[in-house]
Amino acid sequence: TSTSAKGDEVQATNPSSRSGFNIIVDGANVGYFKQNYLGAPNHVNYQQIDQLLHHLRALGHKPLLILHSRHVSKFMVPNEECADIVRRWRRDGCLDATPKSFNDDWFWLYAAVAHRCKVVTNDEMRDHHFQLLSPKYVHILNCYRAPTYAYV
C-alpha cells in the first residue's frame, strides 16, 4: 500500500501477486450497472458491488475486485457506510485499486487471462479491441511493469 499526494491509500495493483481468487469482478462495470438515470450519483454503487461479492462468496467463489483508485479515494467515497465497505474490501484482501492514468479494463483483462479466471462484467471491450492488436499496447504495459508480472 502506498499513499498518494492527496493522502488517500492506493493499494499496489498486481493481480499476479495474489493467490486464491477464482473470479474477477470488473468493479466499475458492476458499480455503474443500471446507474444511468437522471439524478444518478457520480460514483459507483458500492452496495451493489458489495452485494455481488457476497453472492459470489456464497456460491463458493473467491472474487478479486478490480476498481480504479479514484473510486476508493476518500475524496470520492460518498459517505461513511461506503467508506466502511471499501475498508472491509481492503481488509479482506479482495480489492485491487488500479493506478491513476491507467484504464482499469486492462488490469481485469490481464488478471483473467493470466489466471484463466472468469470475469463478471458486461463490458464488450469494443473500445479496446483494436488496441490489443497494436504494438503500442505492449509499450504502455511495459511502462508500468511490476517485477512479478509475466507477459506472454
Side-chain angles (χ1 to χ4, degrees):
T1 305
S2 63
T3 304
S4 74
K6 292 182 179 178
D8 49 324
E9 287 188 7
V10 177
Q11 186 169 346
T13 302
N14 185 349
S16 292
S17 67
R18 303 232 178 225
S19 61
F21 63 87
N22 61 7
I23 193 163
I24 309 295
V25 176
D26 176 3
N29 191 273
V30 170
Y32 282 126
F33 183 69
K34 300 234 182 211
Q35 301 299 307
N36 188 14
Y37 56 88
L38 187 61
N42 64 350
H43 55 80
V44 295
N45 185 328
Y46 297 89
Q47 293 86 355
Q48 189 163 280
I49 298 169
D50 202 44
Q51 288 171 355
L52 175 66
L53 294 174
H54 284 292
H55 179 72
L56 291 171
R57 287 185 188 113
L59 294 175
H61 293 289
K62 295 177 183 171
L64 175 64
L65 172 62
I66 306 286
L67 198 57
H68 194 278
S69 60
R70 74 176 169 270
H71 297 298
V72 295
S73 162
K74 67 181 178 182
F75 301 106
M76 185 65 152
V77 178
N79 56 47
E80 194 58 32
E81 177 188 359
C82 295
D84 286 342
I85 290 171
V86 171
R87 281 191 287 272
R88 185 168 23 83
W89 293 340
R90 290 182 196 274
R91 185 183 64 240
D92 294 348
C94 72
L95 172 65
D96 259 340
T98 65
K100 294 175 182 169
S101 75
F102 282 86
N103 187 321
D104 57 329
D105 292 349
W106 293 113
F107 289 85
W108 63 254
L109 179 62
Y110 171 76
V113 171
H115 294 277
R116 298 180 182 176
C117 292
K118 293 181 180 180
V119 176
V120 177
T121 187
N122 66 1
D123 191 329
E124 296 177 10
M125 297 294 288
R126 289 178 294 216
D127 54 335
H128 303 300
H129 176 75
F130 290 106
Q131 290 174 339
L132 287 170
L133 303 175
S134 169
K136 183 179 178 182
Y137 169 75
V138 174
H139 171 70
I140 290 170
L141 283 178
N142 284 337
C143 289
Y144 188 74
R145 184 186 301 206
T148 55
Y149 274 84
Y151 294 95
V152 184

